[in-house]
Amino acid sequence: MTSTSEIEDGASRPLLADQRESRDDNLTDAAPPSAPDRDRESGTFTKNLGALEAFAIVISIVIGSGIFTSPGSIDTNVPSPGFALVVWLIGGVLAWTGASTMAELGTAIPGEGGVQPYLQYIFGDVFGFLAAWTWIVAVMPATLAILSIVFVESIYSSLGVTDQAGRIEHKLFSILLLVVISIANSISTKASTRLNNFFVVTKFVTIAAIVIAGIIVAVLQTTDPEMDIGGRDWFKKSWFGDRVVTNPDGTKTDWTQLGEWEILGHYSAALYGALWAYSGWDKAIYISAELQSPARQLPLSINTAIPTIILCFVAANAAYYILLPWNIVSTTDSVAVTAITRLLGRGFGIVAAVLICLVVAGSLLGNSFVAGRMAVAAARMNWFPRMFALVGHVGLKSRTEDDPTSPNDEQTTPPVARSDAPINAIILSAVLSALYILLGNFRALLTFNGLGEYSFFFLTVLGAIVLRFREPELRRPYKPFILIPIVFAVVSGFVVIRGAFFAPVLALVVIVVWVIGLGLYWVRRRLATRQVGRG
């Protein structure tokens, strides 16, 4: 538990103050200093995860609905299919730069709760609290709501039912799915990771099927140019030539007639769509405290998972352009189902829809798995009620308080396997997500989520740059080239500004969330000060 004096120190410390003053005096000059000892206290969770589990969690979260729904929105905003593939590649590399920077911070500043301990260490207590608050009440619940909505919409779309997302039946179905996933994650960490591994296999099988179908069509059309199979544009047209794009509303975009600012606007929209498809690249840091050897396993999992995802995304999109006429890619929001249905018929299209639903369910499981970690970390810092730091059961008190046993009882009673899942925190996340499902819609939640998430991504990566100069001697087991965090800081800042410009109302909602959080923070601080005065 964090003491009141620690809270006060973090809250009153200047934003860019040198953290070295607060380190343990026992540190010797010979060894490079590391993060404060209080960040290395025994964590809530046992260190029972390895690089493979972290790899699988990143894969499971990132490969979600984006690769099957975003291609159309990206294709609409680029002049050619070749350039669309370049955007997918650039989006993946940018996500990789952010993930590499997070790996640097995750190995230098141990702690639970995602970006919260990094912001707290670099900028002070208030920024750590605000990150935790935003993630717990906004970012993660919105993410879970989005994925639940996409799952249900995928089912209805495969049955030919569209434009019904606002119906209460759809929303209740989404909430039911969310409850099932939350229960699955409440069993235990090992059970969650094993189920997650199944979904990872499903994701690779689905993408492999799409890529193999594209390869088969390409080979058949190359050997017999007259064969009518798949799309034929890939064989007859230039992959990088300007074209007239058909938009979802039926209008046309002639790239030869656009001005520079219009082209820039389209490019930024395409990049925004790609970054959303890669969303979840940061999630490995949420379980860094549960890795057996985070200094080695965290960078390893990130630097293997992200390139694998980039390869999958680029290959799948190339297959889409082979399987479909190019004017169809830009007008559909379910490009994978459309491609398989057109190639093999409606029956296989339904099978594809089922596989995609499993892919989305895997992403939902992975996000729900990490959603409670921020609440646990915040509760351990006394920023949230302590009940959310409990693991293994539902309630207000720990089991040791509810059911004290004597030493003799412990010796005679055989050990019973207990859950190590943060059930209270998972329930909190599920309840908030259900509210977002009932009150929001897909597009609004997507923008809201992006604004809240990338605001703190920008601050975190900016903090990593600041820390390079403020504390150059800080022990960093993993240290990417300085240009990597700089590039991501510029891009993440651009994403926030663009999102706020095109959705000012949602930007205002995010600001209101921050103001409420700041109000709660200062109230908590005043109460802590009064308790110290009475003591």
Side-chain angles (χ1 to χ4, degrees):
M1 182 183 298
T2 304
S3 67
T4 306
S5 61
E6 288 172 339
I7 294 172
E8 290 300 307
D9 289 344
S12 59
R13 183 188 302 122
L15 295 186
L16 301 183
D18 195 330
Q19 305 288 330
R20 287 171 289 182
E21 298 175 1
S22 62
R23 293 199 183 109
D24 196 325
D25 294 335
N26 293 327
L27 288 171
T28 64
D29 294 335
S34 58
D37 285 343
R38 64 186 175 85
D39 287 331
R40 283 188 259 138
E41 292 176 352
S42 58
T44 307
F45 306 97
T46 57
K47 292 180 176 292
N48 59 357
L49 300 181
L52 181 60
E53 287 84 1
F55 170 88
I57 288 172
V58 175
I59 292 288
S60 180
I61 291 176
V62 177
I63 301 181
S65 62
I67 183 58
F68 307 110
T69 59
S70 289
S73 63
I74 293 174
D75 184 75
T76 303
N77 289 289
V78 293
S80 65
F83 201 91
L85 297 181
V86 172
V87 169
W88 279 100
L89 178 60
I90 293 174
V93 171
L94 290 173
W96 197 356
T97 62
S100 294
T101 306
M102 295 297 181
E104 174 188 344
L105 293 172
T107 56
I109 309 173
E112 299 173 347
V115 301
Q116 169 259 312
Y118 315 148
L119 289 170
Q120 181 191 19
Y121 179 78
I122 298 168
F123 296 123
D125 198 62
V126 63
F127 279 83
F129 172 85
L130 202 56
W133 166 259
T134 304
W135 245 260
I136 293 168
V137 305
V139 171
M140 290 311 300
T143 299
L144 297 176
I146 290 168
L147 291 170
S148 300
I149 292 170
V150 169
F151 181 96
V152 174
E153 282 304 294
S154 297
I155 293 177
Y156 278 93
S157 294
S158 68
L159 300 175
V161 180
T162 59
D163 300 327
Q164 299 293 315
R167 293 178 61 88
I168 187 63
E169 295 89 347
H170 287 57
K171 292 179 179 291
L172 293 178
F173 193 3
S174 299
I175 293 174
L176 176 62
L177 171 67
L178 184 64
V179 170
V180 171
I181 293 294
S182 298
I183 292 173
N185 269 327
S186 298
I187 299 173
S188 71
T189 297
K190 276 298 182 184
S192 296
T193 54
R194 287 170 183 167
L195 184 57
N196 185 70
N197 291 340
F198 162 75
F199 283 120
V200 168
V201 173
T202 303
K203 292 169 189 285
F204 282 136
V205 168
T206 304
I207 292 178
I210 294 170
V211 173
I212 291 172
I215 293 173
I216 293 173
V217 169
V219 171
L220 291 175
Q221 285 192 341
T222 301
T223 56
D224 184 3
E226 300 303 320
M227 180 177 290
D228 185 16
I229 183 173
R232 299 178 59 83
D233 290 339
W234 75 273
F235 190 70
K236 299 185 298 182
K237 298 180 181 180
S238 170
W239 280 71
F240 286 92
D242 287 350
R243 57 178 175 155
V244 176
V245 178
T246 302
N247 300 311
D249 59 2
T251 60
K252 306 282 186 179
T253 300
D254 187 351
W255 279 80
T256 61
Q257 303 299 318
L258 296 180
E260 292 182 358
W261 280 107
E262 290 177 298
I263 292 175
L264 180 62
H266 281 289
Y267 284 167
S268 66
L271 182 60
Y272 195 85
L275 289 174
W276 176 76
Y278 284 101
S279 178
W281 50 261
D282 63 304
K283 294 304 185 291
I285 63 173
Y286 284 79
I287 59 166
S288 60
E290 299 169 65
L291 295 176
Q292 297 162 357
S293 178
R296 179 181 61 86
Q297 294 169 334
L298 182 60
L300 177 62
S301 61
I302 287 174
N303 289 326
T304 52
I306 303 298
T308 302
I309 293 165
I310 294 173
L311 178 62
C312 289
F313 282 12
V314 173
N317 277 275
Y320 293 147
Y321 285 112
I322 293 173
L323 295 172
L324 290 171
W326 290 352
N327 64 329
I328 292 181
V329 175
S330 61
T331 57
T332 179
D333 287 332
S334 55
V335 62
V337 174
T338 302
I340 298 301
T341 301
R342 193 174 186 277
L343 179 66
L344 300 174
R346 183 171 180 80
F348 282 94
I350 293 176
V351 172
V354 171
L355 287 174
I356 291 170
C357 285
L358 290 176
V359 169
V360 176
S363 186
L364 183 59
L365 179 80
N367 276 284
S368 175
F369 179 81
V370 302
R373 268 57 185 175
M374 180 69 86
V376 169
R380 280 173 55 85
M381 293 295 298
N382 287 331
W383 290 340
F384 269 63
R386 292 289 295 180
M387 61 178 287
F388 295 117
L390 303 179
V391 297
H393 73 290
V394 180
L396 301 178
K397 298 180 180 180
S398 65
R399 274 187 170 142
T400 56
E401 296 177 273
D402 290 337
D403 185 26
T405 57
S406 65
N408 292 332
D409 291 337
E410 292 179 357
Q411 293 175 2
T412 58
T413 304
V416 179
R418 292 180 176 179
S419 169
D420 59 349
I423 301 177
N424 285 343
I426 291 173
I427 292 174
L428 172 66
S429 180
V431 170
L432 292 174
S433 301
L435 291 176
Y436 279 103
I437 292 172
L438 291 173
L439 302 176
N441 61 73
F442 174 79
R443 293 187 179 275
L445 289 172
L446 189 62
T447 304
F448 176 73
N449 172 271
L451 286 170
E453 193 172 44
Y454 269 87
S455 296
F456 286 98
F457 285 163
F458 170 75
L459 285 175
T460 304
V461 176
L462 180 64
I465 299 171
V466 169
L467 209 59
R468 289 282 189 100
F469 295 95
R470 193 181 76 192
E471 300 187 44
E473 78 287 358
L474 179 68
R475 186 172 63 85
R476 296 174 172 86
Y478 179 74
K479 185 179 178 181
F481 184 55
I482 186 64
L483 187 61
I484 289 177
I486 291 175
V487 168
F488 186 80
V490 172
V491 173
S492 56
F494 162 77
V495 168
V496 173
I497 293 172
R498 182 192 179 278
F501 180 80
F502 284 98
V505 175
L506 290 174
L508 182 61
V509 173
V510 173
I511 293 173
V512 169
V513 170
W514 292 343
V515 171
I516 294 173
L518 287 173
L520 292 175
Y521 173 80
W522 292 116
V523 168
R524 182 191 65 85
R525 185 185 174 194
R526 290 294 297 272
L527 291 176
T529 303
R530 288 181 180 179
Q531 289 178 356
V532 172
R534 291 172 183 173

